[in-house]
Amino acid sequence: ILNVSQEVNMDPSGCLSTPFHVEPRNIVEDDPQERVSAEAAILNSRVNYYSRLTASSDRLLSPPNHVIPGPEELYIYSPLGTAFKVTGSDHSSKNPSIITIFAIWNTMMGTSILSIPWGIKQAGFTLGIIILIFTGLLMLYCCYIVLKSPKAIPYVDASDWEFPDVCRYYFGKFGQWSSWFFSMVSLIGAMVVYWVLMSNFLYNSGQFIYNYAHNVNMSDSEFGTNGSDKVICPFPNTDPGGNYTTSTVYFANSGNETSDVSFENWWSKTNTIPLYLIPLLLPLLCFRSASFFARFTFLGTISVVYLIVLVTIKTVHLGFHLEFHWFDTSQFYVPEFRLLFPQFTGVLTLAFFIHNCIITLMKSNKHQENNVRDLSVAYLLVGLTYLYVGVLIFAAFPSPPLSKDCIEPNFLDNFPTSDVMVFVARTFLLFQMITVYPLLGYLVRVQVMGQIFGNHYPSFFHVLALNILIVGSGVLMAKFYPNIGSIIRFSGATCGLALVFVFPALVQMISLRRQGVLRWPSALFHTFLILLGVANLLAQFFM
């Protein structure tokens, strides 16, 4: 890597040490793992060519000083084809611990929060709380291993490494490619869940507007409670762990039955809405840069805060409805311990997943000595948020008259379309996901195209083909299997197998063995982590 210096010198190997500048349009992001464009690579080769034509005392062929950018515009370029921005020692660019903690909380808070009540129902109330706490602790420990893994590598400057680089160091190309593959599983799985949820939110928002405009009252046709805070059971006669289907809707006070049937045909949650999203989102995925959409990331925090407020208000109005049946199933309640609990562990693996970007997030922490403490506090906040939403929704679900088994994988589906507060939540989440979806697609494109072609935007047609595959997978899942609980648990268990359990545990054992401090209790515990990850994935296929 070229050294940063305002002087033009030659190092002992003959490489020029003048700062190398990569223009903003030629770099993907401030990440050492992402590649720069071909233009920047050619410029780097030209500078190195000039440096080898002249001796250190001859400045005729050296780049003139006036073309050297200012310190704030410097990028370090590696002959391997990567570049990252020089941050220097200016502490003004660092964040205090409180900002770092909430950055981790905001990054981890995703669509999984909508499935936490469903996961508690699948595991049982008591067992679900135990599993949530236990899984959170395990995920925190594995994240701690990932965070400190670059510092445990001796005789190598790994300060700018990410976890895939650590995997490459210990396991070679296999480690690098497998970590990349499982990272893609988590990203693409999130994009599929986003498409299903956007279809859901768009359908319900459109249904709310249509019913309001035409004075349609659906309260008599929905199976649920009475009163101002109505709770519904969308599919009371189906297996709660099974597939969603679009039930028939009857309009109680509609004046024109033909127009209502026509609206149903054109506004279907599974048949038409997933297709309506294509002309909106496919062009956004083809943007060369995703910087515009990054400005709307604050909407994620607003959405989560609004969800917490919504859950609190609904719980106050509905009250608690709990009975403890430890092992037997009753008409309205589920057992406290259920054999379906692996479905919840799969959801939680993705809900607590931040292992592929934790090193980058922690680099901006002003006090690096507090990294472990700040990470632990962030996990505590995330766990408390999940517990708060999951426990309150489960406890407040009105049983009787409804069964706890009616809790949906997206708990917003248990509230009618006519609920104004829920309509606002769905609208918020819809707009947030429309802005985040292109960011996820951008990350997938950068990693896929960078690995295969060495360029994050080889051509418009390459990018279009990749985006069509991604969008197509989302449309198919939204049409044929729009169960976000199952999608989340499968993608979480799959990516968690490698990036949460297997690789961190193996890295820790190898590191301790090379230091000569590996003992059998540690080896036994980390082997248990690996087996736990394998069992978590296999169990998803039998639920």
Side-chain angles (χ1 to χ4, degrees):
I1 295 179
L2 300 176
N3 299 320
V4 178
S5 172
Q6 286 298 323
E7 297 296 329
V8 180
N9 297 315
M10 299 289 293
D11 63 17
S13 64
C15 292
L16 188 69
S17 61
T18 301
F20 178 71
H21 176 61
V22 181
E23 295 186 16
R25 65 183 181 88
N26 292 333
I27 191 166
V28 175
E29 188 49 78
D30 303 338
D31 186 339
Q33 297 311 309
E34 296 175 334
R35 296 181 179 273
V36 297
S37 69
E39 291 87 345
I42 292 173
L43 181 56
N44 175 70
S45 300
R46 185 179 303 148
V47 171
N48 280 279
Y49 173 73
Y50 285 148
S51 70
R52 295 181 183 277
L53 291 179
T54 180
S56 59
S57 59
D58 187 358
R59 303 173 61 90
L60 291 178
L61 296 179
S62 299
N65 289 332
H66 70 270
V67 302
I68 299 175
E72 71 280 359
E73 298 176 344
L74 291 180
Y75 288 84
I76 300 296
Y77 180 83
S78 167
L80 298 177
T82 60
F84 62 95
K85 194 169 186 177
V86 178
T87 58
S89 58
D90 184 11
H91 291 280
S92 62
S93 62
K94 300 290 185 177
N95 296 323
S97 292
I98 187 67
I99 300 298
T100 303
I101 290 171
F102 277 98
I104 298 173
W105 176 85
N106 187 41
T107 304
M108 220 183 301
M109 281 286 121
T111 56
S112 301
I113 193 173
L114 298 174
S115 296
I116 296 298
W118 173 80
I120 291 178
K121 181 257 295 187
Q122 295 298 91
F125 184 64
T126 302
L127 182 59
I129 294 175
I130 296 173
I131 287 177
L132 195 153
I133 297 173
F134 178 72
T135 305
L137 291 174
L138 282 183
M139 297 286 286
L140 170 60
Y141 175 71
C142 294
C143 195
Y144 161 74
I145 294 177
V146 172
L147 179 62
K148 72 182 187 67
S149 59
K151 300 177 182 178
I153 299 177
Y155 313 118
V156 177
D157 181 13
S159 58
D160 293 310
W161 284 18
E162 297 292 337
F163 194 59
D165 298 295
V166 176
C167 294
R168 183 180 66 237
Y169 174 81
Y170 284 106
F171 310 112
K173 284 289 185 180
F174 170 78
Q176 180 185 11
W177 281 93
S178 57
S179 63
W180 169 82
F181 170 77
F182 286 104
S183 180
M184 287 298 96
V185 169
S186 67
L187 285 173
I188 296 176
M191 295 187 73
V192 170
V193 171
Y194 268 45
W195 200 277
V196 174
L197 285 175
M198 286 186 293
S199 301
N200 180 303
F201 297 149
L202 181 60
Y203 168 79
N204 284 286
S205 300
Q207 193 78 57
F208 175 89
I209 296 172
Y210 179 86
N211 292 344
Y212 181 81
H214 293 79
N215 195 26
V216 176
N217 184 7
M218 298 180 62
S219 60
D220 296 331
S221 63
E222 295 172 320
F223 182 79
T225 61
N226 298 317
S228 57
D229 289 285
K230 186 178 178 66
V231 179
I232 64 173
C233 185
F235 313 109
N237 297 321
T238 60
D239 180 6
N243 192 0
Y244 277 70
T245 56
T246 304
S247 58
T248 304
V249 178
Y250 300 95
F251 294 84
N253 297 330
S254 57
N256 188 340
E257 183 177 352
T258 305
S259 63
D260 292 333
V261 173
S262 176
F263 179 75
E264 280 190 78
N265 293 334
W266 289 100
W267 199 257
S268 169
K269 185 189 296 185
T270 57
N271 294 329
T272 59
I273 299 297
L275 300 176
Y276 293 161
L277 290 170
I278 295 178
L280 172 64
L281 292 171
L282 185 58
L284 299 182
L285 288 176
C286 296
F287 281 20
R288 183 178 291 270
S289 172
S291 59
F292 172 77
F293 304 101
R295 303 173 186 176
F296 298 95
T297 53
F298 69 93
L299 291 174
T301 303
I302 297 176
S303 300
V304 173
V305 171
Y306 183 81
L307 278 178
I308 294 174
V309 173
L310 172 67
V311 168
T312 304
I313 294 175
K314 292 295 183 182
T315 303
V316 171
H317 290 171
L318 293 170
F320 283 177
H321 303 267
L322 287 174
E323 282 187 14
F324 294 92
H325 300 264
W326 295 105
F327 299 104
D328 58 317
T329 302
S330 65
Q331 181 180 359
F332 300 108
Y333 297 93
V334 296
E336 299 300 301
F337 299 88
R338 302 184 74 184
L339 295 178
L340 296 175
F341 70 89
Q343 295 187 353
F344 194 30
T345 62
V347 170
L348 290 175
T349 306
L350 194 63
F352 285 109
F353 182 74
I354 198 174
H355 301 60
N356 59 343
C357 62
I358 188 60
I359 297 177
T360 300
L361 286 174
M362 281 303 188
K363 283 178 183 177
S364 62
N365 197 6
K366 182 182 294 185
H367 302 286
Q368 292 292 306
E369 67 276 8
N370 296 332
N371 277 352
V372 176
R373 182 202 67 185
D374 295 344
L375 178 65
S376 303
V377 173
Y379 261 86
L380 176 63
L381 291 178
V382 171
L384 290 176
T385 305
Y386 288 152
L387 269 176
Y388 186 84
V389 172
V391 169
L392 288 190
I393 288 294
F394 183 90
F397 195 83
S399 301
L402 302 180
S403 171
K404 296 287 186 184
D405 247 339
C406 286
I407 298 177
E408 290 293 304
N410 172 10
F411 75 81
L412 294 179
D413 286 340
N414 287 115
F415 298 98
T417 304
S418 57
D419 193 308
V420 177
M421 288 192 66
V422 177
F423 166 74
V424 174
R426 287 169 173 149
T427 306
F428 254 121
L429 289 168
L430 175 62
F431 187 71
Q432 177 219 345
M433 290 180 180
I434 289 175
T435 59
V436 173
Y437 189 83
L439 286 174
L440 295 176
Y442 176 78
L443 293 175
V444 172
R445 181 218 308 167
V446 165
Q447 297 197 38
V448 171
M449 296 300 180
Q451 286 285 343
I452 298 176
F453 300 104
N455 185 354
H456 74 280
Y457 205 99
S459 74
F460 172 78
F461 296 102
H462 286 84
V463 173
L464 180 62
L466 175 64
N467 292 336
I468 289 176
L469 290 177
I470 295 173
V471 169
S473 62
V475 171
L476 290 176
M477 293 300 289
K479 179 174 177 58
F480 296 106
Y481 194 72
N483 187 329
I484 67 165
S486 293
I487 301 172
I488 289 175
R489 66 185 177 92
F490 273 104
S491 58
T494 303
C495 70
L497 172 65
L499 300 180
V500 175
F501 296 106
V502 175
F503 281 152
L506 289 177
V507 165
Q508 181 72 351
M509 286 194 289
I510 295 174
S511 176
L512 293 177
R513 185 175 180 274
R514 291 181 178 179
Q515 298 173 32
V517 294
L518 179 63
R519 301 293 182 263
W520 70 265
S522 177
L524 194 63
F525 173 72
H526 290 94
T527 303
F528 167 74
L529 285 181
I530 297 174
L531 296 177
L532 202 62
V534 174
N536 184 37
L537 177 60
L538 293 179
Q540 307 305 320
F541 295 94
F542 299 97
M543 295 293 110

